Amino acid sequence: MTTSPYVPPKVWTWDAANGGQFANINRPIAGPTHEKELPRGEHGFQLYSLATPNGQKVSIMFEELLAAGHAAEYDAWLINIGKGDQFGSGFVGVNPNSKIPALLDLTGPEPVRLFESGSMLVHLADKFGAFLPASGAARTEVLNWLFWQMGSAPFVGGGFGHFYAYAPEKFEYPINRYAMETKRQLDVLDRQLAESAYVAGSEYSIADMAIWPWYGGLVLGRAYNAAEFLDVTSYKHLMAWAEKIDARPGVKRGRIVNKNWGDEAEQVPERHSAEDFAGKAV
């Protein structure tokens, strides 16, 4: 292994030219870059998102709620992060962290803003009494796994995915470091799913909805072109769970909401009603 000649300066300064593939949307400061109001549709929930794993969590939740008969109609608006939509003043007003997704709940006497996908899942689960036990040990177990995902996935996306797939150069040390951690997390899930039908027990929950877009997508070969590199087929229980979740109608619909790339049959850039899925691969 070679030793990098890089020596960190005493005080770091930002050089946008060194940002790699996402240099145009990464910066070390917060706040809006331009004035732009968010659109609003006719429904009580307004989702502003993109079909990345974090965005898929919430659109899957909405589609699962609708499939279960809940009055959870929503409008989903595309936030094109490559063009900097997340830095518009309206979006920053809902999510000061300038990351997708962002959600407005307009069903009550006062609008409720929600940022962070885990917060949205808990809010919607409690509001509709679905996919999260109301109390007790079963609720805590779901939250255990929800927060596990929120804390663990940055190692997969920002760590492994970045250095393996997106960094301008390949470096052995960070790829090895994050591959090791990613495989450890896959093993955590595989061992858990050897003992239970779903991540948090015998019932499908928001824990599955949060974890599947990241880890299900990874083992199903939809992320970073890394399935062979990570030997994902060795995680047999995880693979079976990923395929089981992938077959759910609500998941099939939710994962393509706010998607504007790839096969057109798997693109629903905006979603305002069930009719938007007509002719799609769902």
Side-chain angles (χ1 to χ4, degrees):
M1 182 181 296
T2 59
T3 302
S4 170
Y6 174 71
V7 177
K10 289 185 177 180
V11 178
W12 181 84
T13 56
W14 179 41
D15 183 353
N18 294 332
Q21 183 173 340
F22 302 106
N24 65 319
I25 61 170
N26 289 331
R27 59 195 182 119
I29 57 174
T33 61
H34 60 281
E35 292 295 320
K36 184 177 181 180
E37 293 302 311
L38 290 174
R40 289 196 185 181
E42 64 181 30
H43 300 304
F45 298 99
Q46 301 294 303
L47 177 63
Y48 306 95
S49 192
L50 185 70
T52 66
N54 284 332
Q56 288 176 332
K57 299 176 197 176
V58 183
S59 50
I60 285 172
M61 176 61 163
F62 273 116
E63 293 300 327
E64 291 282 21
L65 287 168
L66 290 167
H70 296 282
E73 276 293 349
Y74 69 108
D75 294 287
W77 304 92
L78 179 68
I79 298 298
N80 191 325
I81 63 175
K83 294 182 178 180
D85 290 350
Q86 70 276 30
F87 300 121
S89 57
F91 189 89
V92 175
V94 180
N95 187 345
N97 195 39
S98 291
K99 301 289 185 181
I100 62 93
L103 177 65
L104 281 174
D105 180 349
L106 306 175
T107 62
E110 297 292 335
V112 176
R113 78 170 186 179
L114 294 115
F115 59 95
E116 290 298 322
S117 55
S119 176
M120 297 174 202
L121 292 177
V122 173
H123 177 83
L124 293 170
D126 284 342
K127 191 176 191 75
F128 291 100
F131 305 117
L132 175 64
S135 62
R139 179 184 178 91
T140 299
E141 184 67 0
V142 172
L143 296 178
N144 285 340
W145 287 102
L146 174 64
F147 291 122
W148 175 85
Q149 185 279 318
M150 300 293 289
S152 296
F155 287 96
V156 177
F160 173 75
H162 176 78
F163 286 105
Y164 184 79
Y166 301 129
E169 297 181 64
K170 305 294 185 189
F171 292 101
E172 183 180 0
Y173 176 79
I175 290 175
N176 284 344
R177 170 66 180 87
Y178 286 111
M180 178 184 68
E181 176 61 16
T182 297
K183 286 182 70 65
R184 188 192 68 81
Q185 292 178 22
L186 295 176
D187 194 47
V188 168
L189 287 171
D190 195 60
R191 290 170 184 267
Q192 174 67 9
L193 289 162
E195 304 295 331
S196 60
Y198 296 100
V199 171
S202 61
E203 299 295 328
Y204 180 61
S205 73
I206 59 172
D208 299 283
M209 298 180 205
I211 292 169
W212 182 85
W214 280 99
Y215 299 90
L218 185 61
V219 301
L220 291 172
R222 296 173 182 160
Y224 316 128
N225 195 27
E228 182 179 8
F229 179 77
L230 295 171
D231 188 24
V232 298
T233 56
S234 65
Y235 304 102
K236 299 187 184 304
H237 306 290
L238 175 56
M239 286 293 301
W241 167 85
E243 292 167 354
K244 176 171 63 176
I245 303 301
D246 192 45
R248 294 180 65 91
V251 172
K252 288 181 177 293
R253 292 189 295 271
R255 79 175 189 86
I256 66 173
V257 170
N258 294 141
K259 188 177 180 186
N260 66 339
W261 68 90
D263 186 345
E264 288 190 7
E266 292 192 347
Q267 292 184 33
V268 180
E270 290 186 9
R271 189 272 187 211
H272 304 290
S273 75
E275 294 178 359
D276 293 316
F277 296 106
K280 303 300 179 179
V282 295

